[in-house]
Amino acid sequence: MTPELSGAGWRVFRDPAGVPHVQGSDLKSLATGHGAITAVDRPWQLEVLRRRAEGRSAELLGPDQVDADHLSLAMEIELTALRWWKAAGTEDQQFLAAYADGVNGSIGSAWAECPEALELGLADLEPRPWQPWTPLAVHLDAHLLSGSLPEQVWRHRVRTTLGDEWVAVLDAETPRGSGSNAWLVPADLSVSGAPLIAADPHRVVEESGPYQPVCFSAPGLRVRGLALVGLPGVPHFGRTESAAWAITAAMTTTETLCEVTVQRRTDGLVAVDTGESLDERAVDLRSAHCGTQTRWVRRCSGGFVLPGDAGAEQRLLALAEGECARVLVVRPAVPCAPERAVSACRELLGAISVADVAAAWQGWVVPVNDVITADRTGACLHTVAGSYLPAPCNDDAAAPVGAFGSVGSREPSGATHARGSRGSCGSRGSRGSRGEHLDHVMVRANQRPADEHESAARLGCAPPHRARRATQLLEQAIAERGVVSHEDLLAAQVDTHLGPWPGLLAQLLGDRGPVAKTLRDWLLAWDGDMSADSEVAALFARWRDAFARELAASEVLTPLLASSRLPALWQPFLDPVARVGLALESIVVRGQRVGFDPRVAAVRALDSVAAEHPEAMDAAGSRSVENQPSWGLLHAFAPHRAHPDLPPFTAVPVGGDTDCLLSAGTIPGWGPACARVPAARVLWDLADPAASWWITPDPVDRGSLGSAPVLRWAAGEMDHALPWVPAGGLEPTDAPLGLGRLSDGLAAVGRPFVPVVGSAQDVNDVVSGHLSLRPVDAARDCELIYSWVQEERARFWGMNDLTFEQVRDLYAFLSTTTTHHAWLIELNQRPLGLFQTYEPHADITGAFYTVEPGDLGIHVLLAPVRNRVPGMTDAISALIQCEIIKQGRTRRIVAEPDASNDLALARLQATGFTLGPVIDLPHKTGRLAFFTLP
């Protein structure tokens, strides 16, 4: 039961699924432990992320990364991080520095044993130390291309190449870099009677993924959530004992982009319109085995010059005096309150209510997120966090890039929705926001807001059918059962319905005659299901690829095939085939506005697929679709490897598609490869601190379950999200557990058996009687238990006000858990009382003290009797304690009787318990008590 890792004021345990649980004496020690265990689990990722942020990744990963390093330097990622860190408050500075210290304390030894370093012969490389601001740099760099910049660059290219009218036609309204689904179910629609939150961020997954499940506990707090690798805390997805939150990408305009004419003059480049000299400096970029390249980074008062490809950069350098060129200038949104740029990482760990969550997000900068949050009182909130720039207009969901000028960033407004009940704190969102009651399921799926003002600031939103599907599935559950269950939320997360395509196929192919009849008939009969085992889904994807290529090759779009004069790293965002593939829906719906009819290309694609697969498309149509590979086999997922020489991870079949709720995204036209997936799934239930779940597609098995998380993720399974410490307890059993004779218990406590005067008890039967613990059978035992807990004498048990059905359901639930157990205490098979145990890390009690390895929580309720045998209570306790000691799993027994139950407290003290602090539990004011076993 020793911790896996420890240091001054902190220690780390690991649960069976491999998730680290960091215990600390305060927030700083938690951050140190978090950094340390992250370095142990993810040394390769941390080194890659740090080098990318510093513009030095090509030294490790090879020459293909030089352009990415150039971009990071041009956008001043590390310098910006340093400025933010210097502006931060003392507590935030210390929090970030502690995380960096933890990384530095472990990464050296972890790197020497890192499989990637060993595979590449780099184990002798000594990673450079993290600076206190390195976590900020890593965070900024990781989100550099996941905001609105790629979308703005693409729209600029379409506008300058084809004209304004084509922007809406080629607008996919689909997030390219990041996105997600999130559901917020209010208490009165939840199966648990408290709010439910579910979410799944859609990201490109590299190595073990961008998210790290982690649990934190310190005096006064207990948190579980998904940390962004390289950044302390759990700002995106997390829950405390009484509040929870999740985010989706808000798809806002986070920078301006404009084309500026510059002229070469004697003293350098000058912006023609303003006469301002550009700041230029040379940087040396080193790459593994390929020496050093000199590049230039440039900026002006309006922003950063976006580096071009080799040809564009060379032409800029070769400009003769007086010659002009055009460059793209990027101006990111700036913090409204630099001192609070990432305060949410620290402050969310102490959130108690939705008001605390909203307050923690104040001042957040990037990425801009839709935030949904709820707390145990039933309060629910939706707001937007981050700094963004107001869009100049909203023309048919395709806002043009604004003119370069002085545009200030702002915090979000007008996007807060709150629902209060049972003492709700109400709405406390971003500055200037307005609140309204939420009496329905809230869904955020990167869709464009209905509010005109908020919509104007969004760019590249997802098609609305994904949000409609996300809402429809839960509304269906409510219509059938009146509530939303955990299973309903999970089913929605893994839903593979591709809503619009059956209708679009009918529009494109419905009147095309006998061309490729077999394939055409299969596609027109298809219901849009992209399940992994669907063969028709695989044929549809092949046709869609061919359709995208046919459209991209059409005469009107061929100008987009010309060089963009930007480096290759922009290819996924600017490649005409990829962008046409992502915009197929828009092209079908809007193409006719610009005289572009996609139906001819759709038929050509049908012919080409039929020709490429004649074994399935014979003229007689005698072969069945079942002969084809399923979608999951073509669409198998494996995380991307950062270094080209690393062996690939084993791929797992997966269903879904780009605009399914199971957003296992492809890039139509580029083939069936799984380009982006749900990088995690979470489900927070505010009713019970132990009732939450999560999973990530991590290919590395760090636990003891015998399978990597990615396999459970691909199967649609979830892991229990518990703050975890190795617990004490009795070995679970379905059979009665013998404790010995009552006389042995009496002897153990030095009490002779004294028959009760006037009792009809047979002395020999009692003295020689055998005590046992029998697991509670809710159906068999509930009537008896209900009669016990309704007694006035059992008021401290806390179940006087429960109905028979509620008591039965509670004990039925306990029989299904692995952390809470209930037994009947029996003497010669005659029930004498209840004995219940719990693992404190899985109970709310564990949030009020530092849980130690081997802790076991207990509750004892003896049945009402007319004449109790003197010493029997002590004797039963002694025999149960002997059995606990014999099994050897428990080091300390924990109790928390009602603080006003003087009799129970006195009995505990008399039997050797040490009283601890008074604690405010949701159902009572308790008093902790501890007994360390010999």
Side-chain angles (χ1 to χ4, degrees):
M1 292 188 180
T2 57
E4 177 169 326
L5 200 65
S6 62
W10 60 270
R11 61 188 180 184
V12 180
F13 297 97
R14 196 182 297 276
D15 74 12
V19 174
H21 172 200
V22 185
Q23 287 185 325
S25 58
D26 53 27
L27 286 179
K28 283 177 58 180
S29 63
L30 281 180
T32 304
H34 184 197
I37 195 61
T38 305
V40 168
D41 284 354
R42 312 281 188 103
W44 171 256
Q45 276 185 276
L46 288 179
E47 182 66 5
V48 169
L49 291 171
R50 179 185 61 77
R51 286 174 176 266
R52 284 175 174 164
E54 295 173 350
R56 299 176 56 247
S57 66
E59 297 176 7
L60 180 69
L61 305 177
D64 288 346
Q65 302 300 313
V66 169
D67 290 331
D69 289 344
H70 190 191
L71 179 63
S72 295
L73 293 172
M75 298 296 288
E76 296 187 356
I77 294 295
E78 192 174 22
L79 292 174
T80 301
L82 177 58
R83 286 194 293 268
W84 285 12
W85 186 80
K86 287 182 176 180
T90 301
E91 289 180 297
D92 288 330
Q93 286 185 343
Q94 292 176 346
F95 188 65
L96 292 163
Y99 182 84
D101 287 344
V103 170
N104 293 334
S106 294
I107 198 167
S109 57
W111 181 264
E113 301 177 2
C114 172
E116 291 84 358
L118 293 170
E119 175 75 27
L120 298 170
L122 300 172
D124 293 336
L125 177 71
E126 185 175 348
R128 290 174 58 180
W130 280 47
Q131 301 299 324
W133 53 88
T134 301
L136 294 178
V138 163
H139 174 71
L140 287 171
D141 191 74
H143 292 92
L144 179 58
L145 295 180
S146 65
S148 67
L149 181 58
E151 183 68 18
Q152 295 204 59
V153 172
W154 166 247
R155 294 182 182 212
H156 175 270
R157 177 155 173 73
V158 171
R159 184 171 291 105
T160 56
T161 304
L162 301 178
D164 284 348
E165 67 275 14
W166 278 92
V167 173
V169 177
L170 295 178
D171 171 34
E173 277 283 88
T174 302
R176 246 69 62 189
S178 63
S180 51
N181 303 311
W183 294 261
L184 173 55
V185 181
D188 52 359
L189 296 178
S190 162
V191 69
S192 72
L196 301 174
I197 289 176
D200 53 8
H202 306 159
R203 304 283 288 257
V204 174
V205 173
E206 183 177 82
E207 308 301 343
S208 286
Y211 288 107
Q212 170 198 30
V214 64
C215 300
F216 301 115
S217 63
L221 68 85
R222 190 168 64 162
V223 184
R224 80 293 310 264
L226 300 176
L228 286 157
V229 176
L231 189 69
V234 288
H236 282 184
F237 306 92
R239 69 155 298 170
T240 64
E241 292 302 285
S242 58
W245 59 91
I247 61 97
T248 59
M251 317 310 296
T252 56
T253 308
T254 52
E255 55 278 302
T256 59
L257 177 74
C258 69
E259 201 170 61
V260 173
T261 300
V262 296
Q263 184 181 59
R264 175 68 65 187
R265 295 184 185 172
T266 305
D267 53 354
L269 291 175
V270 173
V272 172
D273 289 346
T274 64
E276 177 190 2
S277 295
L278 272 64
D279 176 44
E280 296 183 277
R281 60 187 178 90
V283 293
D284 290 332
L285 299 177
R286 299 178 179 84
S287 61
H289 314 301
C290 291
T292 300
Q293 299 182 38
T294 298
R295 300 282 183 95
W296 289 81
V297 295
R298 304 175 176 90
R299 66 165 298 163
C300 58
S301 60
F304 309 108
V305 175
L306 199 65
D309 62 15
E313 289 292 298
Q314 183 58 41
R315 283 190 292 274
L316 203 56
L317 287 172
L319 284 178
E321 186 169 355
E323 286 187 324
C324 294
R326 304 279 287 174
V327 296
L328 289 175
V329 175
V330 180
R331 181 184 184 182
V334 297
C336 295
E339 70 280 4
R340 294 192 49 81
V342 289
S343 292
C345 295
R346 175 183 56 84
E347 292 183 2
L348 284 169
L349 300 181
I352 296 174
S353 66
V354 295
D356 295 332
V357 173
W361 281 107
Q362 292 291 330
W364 181 265
V365 182
V366 67
V368 181
N369 295 320
D370 273 312
V371 181
I372 57 173
T373 177
D375 64 32
R376 197 164 52 208
T377 71
C380 300
L381 181 76
H382 164 233
T383 189
V384 182
S387 293
Y388 62 91
L389 299 163
C393 70
N394 180 23
D395 58 346
D396 196 15
V401 177
F404 184 72
S406 178
V407 182
S409 60
R410 61 188 177 100
E411 287 188 280
S413 63
T416 302
H417 312 275
R419 179 185 188 278
S421 65
R422 292 180 295 170
S424 164
C425 63
S427 171
R428 182 181 174 184
S430 299
R431 187 170 59 237
S433 62
R434 66 179 185 272
E436 63 182 50
H437 286 291
L438 172 64
D439 57 1
H440 57 279
V441 173
M442 164 67 72
V443 171
R444 295 308 305 161
N446 310 122
Q447 76 270 32
R448 186 170 293 284
D451 180 89
E452 182 178 350
H453 175 75
E454 284 299 314
S455 178
R458 308 292 175 113
L459 194 67
C461 293
H465 57 73
R466 180 151 62 92
R468 285 198 298 267
R469 177 69 174 176
T471 304
Q472 172 195 354
L473 291 174
L474 299 197
E475 288 180 342
Q476 182 178 336
I478 294 169
E480 294 175 356
R481 295 182 296 280
V483 294
V484 174
S485 70
H486 307 104
E487 292 75 16
D488 294 328
L489 285 165
L490 179 57
Q493 288 179 311
V494 298
D495 181 70
T496 56
H497 182 65
L498 194 59
W501 269 105
L504 293 175
L505 285 167
Q507 181 177 340
L508 291 166
L509 304 175
D511 59 352
R512 296 294 95 188
V515 178
K517 183 177 186 306
T518 302
L519 174 59
R520 176 177 170 273
D521 289 347
W522 281 337
L523 292 179
L524 291 178
W526 177 57
D527 62 0
D529 181 33
M530 297 297 290
S531 296
D533 58 358
S534 171
E535 290 86 1
V536 181
L539 287 172
F540 162 73
R542 284 171 167 158
W543 169 83
R544 185 177 58 181
D545 281 343
F547 183 35
R549 291 191 294 268
E550 288 283 350
L551 288 174
S554 61
E555 182 178 357
V556 68
L557 295 181
T558 51
L560 293 173
L561 295 173
S563 172
S564 67
R565 304 202 312 180
L566 290 173
L569 70 92
W570 290 95
Q571 185 182 18
F573 308 102
L574 301 180
D575 178 79
V577 174
R579 293 303 309 228
V580 166
L582 289 171
L584 289 177
E585 291 179 45
S586 295
I587 292 171
V588 174
V589 173
R590 298 168 174 167
Q592 306 246 1
R593 300 181 189 179
V594 291
F596 188 57
D597 187 349
R599 288 177 295 179
V600 174
V603 174
R604 287 177 181 166
L606 198 69
D607 287 338
S608 67
V609 172
E612 290 172 6
H613 302 280
E615 74 285 355
M617 311 300 169
D618 62 349
S622 59
R623 293 182 181 268
S624 69
V625 69
E626 284 77 14
N627 293 326
Q628 300 306 301
S630 67
W631 174 230
L633 293 178
L634 297 180
H635 189 229
F637 162 73
H640 175 68
R641 302 309 303 262
H643 197 290
D645 293 338
L646 287 173
F649 290 116
T650 301
V652 295
V654 63
D657 195 53
T658 300
D659 284 325
C660 296
L661 293 181
L662 175 52
S663 187
T666 59
I667 300 179
W670 279 16
C674 208
R676 188 189 56 175
V677 298
R681 297 188 188 101
V682 298
L683 199 165
W684 306 137
D685 183 350
L686 273 301
D688 181 356
S692 290
W693 291 266
W694 56 17
I695 195 73
T696 64
D698 188 348
V700 179
D701 182 9
R702 298 181 177 88
S704 56
L705 300 181
S707 65
V710 67
L711 300 178
R712 304 192 291 278
W713 170 89
E717 300 172 3
M718 301 273 270
D719 292 335
H720 207 171
L722 279 178
W724 195 86
V725 175
L730 296 171
E731 189 70 33
T733 176
D734 295 329
L737 184 65
L739 300 177
R741 292 182 301 181
L742 177 61
S743 59
D744 297 333
L746 290 168
V749 296
R751 298 287 296 271
F753 174 70
V754 180
V756 177
V757 176
S759 172
Q761 298 173 101
D762 184 288
V763 174
N764 291 327
D765 285 348
V766 174
V767 172
S768 61
H770 282 263
L771 281 166
S772 62
L773 297 177
R774 177 174 63 80
V776 167
D777 181 326
R780 169 184 171 185
D781 302 321
C782 187
E783 187 172 348
L784 177 64
I785 294 174
Y786 180 70
S787 70
W788 291 348
V789 302
Q790 291 298 296
E791 295 273 347
E792 170 60 23
R793 63 180 295 277
R795 65 187 183 280
F796 292 121
W797 194 253
M799 298 173 67
N800 283 155
D801 60 343
L802 297 188
T803 65
F804 174 84
E805 290 75 17
Q806 288 173 321
V807 172
R808 180 195 61 204
D809 292 346
L810 172 62
Y811 283 96
F813 170 74
L814 288 180
S815 69
T816 67
T817 73
T818 60
T819 59
H820 293 62
H821 303 283
W823 288 270
L824 282 180
I825 305 168
E826 295 185 330
L827 177 65
N828 292 339
Q829 300 183 349
R830 180 169 63 88
L832 296 180
L834 268 173
F835 176 63
Q836 294 180 196
T837 66
Y838 62 88
E839 298 178 7
H841 67 77
D843 190 86
I844 194 169
T845 305
F848 291 89
Y849 80 101
T850 300
V851 180
E852 295 290 337
D855 277 3
L856 176 67
I858 66 166
H859 299 289
V860 180
L861 175 68
L862 293 183
V865 294
R866 182 173 301 173
N867 300 301
R868 186 175 299 283
V869 174
M872 179 176 282
T873 301
D874 292 339
I876 292 173
S877 299
L879 289 176
I880 291 175
Q881 184 183 122
C882 286
E883 180 62 28
I884 291 173
I885 293 173
K886 184 174 72 175
Q887 292 202 12
R889 302 172 63 193
T890 303
R891 293 182 178 180
R892 187 171 65 163
I893 296 175
V894 181
E896 21 68 53
D898 194 293
S900 63
N901 191 343
D902 295 333
L903 182 61
L905 292 170
R907 183 177 296 280
L908 287 171
Q909 285 183 291
T911 54
F913 277 78
T914 300
L915 296 185
V918 173
I919 59 175
D920 290 322
L921 297 168
H923 56 289
K924 69 179 182 182
T925 299
R927 181 75 181 270
L928 284 170
F930 303 96
F931 180 81
T932 302
L933 294 177

